[in-house]
Amino acid sequence: MDQESDKIAGPTTEDGVITTSANNIELLRWHLDRYDRLRSSTANRASVILSAAAILSAANAVILSQVLTGPIHDRQWLFATFGVALLASTALVVLSLIRSASVLVTSRDSRALFGVGDEVPPGLIFNGTDTVQRLRSFAEFANTVESQQEADIYRAAQVELWIGIKQHRYRYVRLRSAGRLLRWAAVTVLLVLGSVVVALISLM
């Protein structure tokens, strides 16, 4: 039990006293791990939405083929009505796809996306973009790793956590939007499909 408590509490000094800085770094690491898991979970759910949107796209294609080749095509007002409905359904699916894609990967790096520029210090080693942009050679990278003080590590971890929180919120908002669009797309597809079936039966 004591060993397990030490693992949770974090590193200790030789006399067994837990240092505040060690606790802070351990807490930051816990938050970083948590938001990494949250971002991974959000991306997985976005993948599910993309798969569902592909199914709805296939359903729209089937409905469109029936509208173009069946007796509905000969009724101008009916053809126009279903054409508009299919266009709306397709637009909802495409918007859902766009939103889901922005959850999987952002179009710009975090600093440009959130408009912070250089007002947030670089999170060297912790943040991949900052590291690649500011450390051009392996020698610079190795020197930075060896020379980082505890305060530098703590600040870099803070920067990475802040960016991670912003990224997760950005992606989660778009995931919710994609989910809402997909629900409306599913309802629209169902209504159009039902209407096409009824129309085909009545025209036979």
Side-chain angles (χ1 to χ4, degrees), residues 1-188:
M1 183 65 180
D2 290 338
Q3 291 179 349
E4 191 65 28
S5 298
D6 287 342
K7 289 180 182 178
I8 296 173
T12 60
T13 58
E14 291 182 358
D15 57 1
V17 178
I18 301 171
T19 62
T20 303
S21 57
N23 271 340
N24 290 340
I25 291 176
E26 193 70 18
L27 181 60
L28 274 176
R29 188 179 73 173
W30 182 85
H31 282 300
L32 286 168
D33 288 341
R34 174 173 177 262
Y35 274 97
D36 278 342
R37 291 193 297 271
L38 287 173
R39 282 185 290 179
S40 177
S41 174
T42 303
N44 289 337
R45 283 184 281 179
S47 298
V48 173
I49 291 179
L50 287 170
S51 299
I55 294 173
L56 292 180
S57 297
N60 278 332
V62 171
I63 296 171
L64 180 62
S65 67
Q66 293 299 316
V67 170
L68 291 175
T69 59
I72 293 175
H73 186 266
D74 300 328
R75 308 292 196 282
Q76 273 192 334
W77 66 271
L78 201 57
F79 179 75
T81 300
F82 284 124
V84 171
L86 279 171
L87 183 61
S89 176
T90 302
L92 288 170
V93 172
V94 170
L95 287 173
S96 178
L97 286 170
I98 293 173
R99 287 290 185 176
S100 298
S102 67
V103 174
L104 295 176
V105 61
T106 56
S107 57
R108 295 175 291 169
D109 66 77
S110 298
R111 290 179 183 275
L113 184 64
F114 304 128
V116 295
D118 292 327
E119 67 183 69
V120 175
L124 296 181
I125 311 306
F126 282 80
N127 186 276
T129 302
D130 286 347
T131 302
V132 170
Q133 287 180 348
R134 287 169 169 78
L135 305 179
R136 300 293 184 176
S137 66
F138 176 73
E140 288 181 302
F141 174 79
N143 183 60
T144 301
V145 172
E146 293 169 1
S147 63
Q148 271 192 326
Q149 302 298 314
E150 192 173 81
D152 300 326
I153 295 172
Y154 185 67
R155 178 52 59 88
Q158 283 182 319
V159 171
E160 180 63 11
L161 177 59
W162 185 85
I163 289 176
I165 292 172
K166 297 280 285 186
Q167 282 185 342
H168 170 65
R169 188 60 190 170
Y170 174 87
R171 293 178 181 185
Y172 185 72
V173 168
R174 277 147 187 77
L175 177 66
R176 290 176 60 184
S177 176
R180 286 194 296 268
L181 289 168
L182 188 68
R183 283 196 294 271
W184 283 110
V187 170
T188 305

